[in-house]
Amino acid sequence: IPRQTFIDMSDNNNAAFGREYDISASVSDAAGNAADVKSISFIMDKTKPIIKSVDLSGIANGAYLQQEDEQDVSHNVTIIMENDDASGQTLTLELSGVEYTGIVEVSRVTIEIPRQTFIDLSDNNNAAFGREYDISASVSDAAGNPADVKSISFIMDKTKPIIKSVDMSGIANGAYLQV
């Protein structure tokens, strides 16, 4: 069967399940004796899964995240899919070069990123701005169609602001103020 035949087959734009096809083979010998018909079936799925959302424990995309050493906190990342096309597949999260995985179940998966991971993230000692990080999610469906990678970002800020001075015009520190 020419490759183009498969390329031209429709999957009915059915993002969740594709379309099932059957191929049958039959043959007869010179005497007219027919062999048993043999068939195989397959599912044509050309539609990639869609990651609807990536949620970092309720922290808004682009928000500041403070992570103190004494906090006993880890963060769950919940990923919601548009449909159940990737159910049963392994979804991968990537944060700062480290991957975390979970199995998509009925259009969603929650993956815990350990507390120590966030403690170990640097803020570049940047008191004014912190450092931005992305958590990216990727998955493929059973047919191997990859979803577009979807990310959420946050800014790690571990540096406390410093008050250099408090100045009240005309009043010395410790002086009496008469109103």
Side-chain angles (χ1 to χ4, degrees):
I1 300 174
R3 181 175 187 271
Q4 190 62 43
T5 302
F6 293 101
I7 292 171
D8 293 341
M9 288 180 164
S10 170
D11 67 353
N12 283 349
N13 294 322
N14 187 337
F17 303 108
R19 179 177 173 192
E20 187 170 355
Y21 287 91
D22 294 312
I23 296 177
S24 299
S26 60
V27 67
S28 297
D29 63 17
N33 298 313
D36 291 338
V37 174
K38 297 289 183 180
S39 298
I40 62 166
S41 64
F42 63 93
I43 298 171
M44 179 59 68
D45 181 356
K46 299 178 184 178
T47 308
K48 62 185 171 184
I50 299 170
I51 299 172
K52 182 177 182 179
S53 65
V54 178
D55 178 54
L56 175 60
S57 302
I59 296 169
N61 188 29
Y64 282 87
L65 178 65
Q66 293 179 316
Q67 190 71 38
E68 304 282 336
D69 287 348
E70 60 272 2
Q71 288 179 321
D72 188 17
V73 176
S74 59
H75 287 284
N76 288 329
V77 180
T78 301
I79 297 87
I80 306 293
M81 305 296 296
E82 283 283 329
N83 55 43
D84 61 356
D85 189 27
S87 289
Q89 301 303 307
T90 300
L91 184 135
T92 302
L93 290 178
E94 189 272 329
L95 169 61
S96 195
V98 179
E99 292 184 347
Y100 306 89
T101 61
I103 303 298
V104 178
E105 295 180 20
V106 192
S107 303
R108 74 179 300 134
V109 61
T110 299
I111 300 171
E112 181 180 333
I113 297 179
R115 168 183 171 259
Q116 192 63 44
T117 299
F118 290 96
I119 291 171
D120 291 344
L121 291 176
S122 170
D123 67 353
N124 284 346
N125 296 318
N126 188 336
F129 303 109
R131 180 175 176 191
E132 186 171 7
Y133 288 92
D134 291 321
I135 297 175
S136 60
S138 61
V139 67
S140 294
D141 64 14
N145 299 311
D148 291 336
V149 173
K150 188 153 184 110
S151 298
I152 186 170
S153 66
F154 62 92
I155 299 169
M156 179 58 73
D157 185 359
K158 299 178 182 180
T159 307
K160 296 177 183 178
I162 298 170
I163 301 172
K164 290 185 178 186
S165 68
V166 177
D167 184 30
M168 199 166 150
S169 182
I171 306 294
N173 187 23
Y176 288 94
L177 177 65
Q178 183 180 12
V179 181

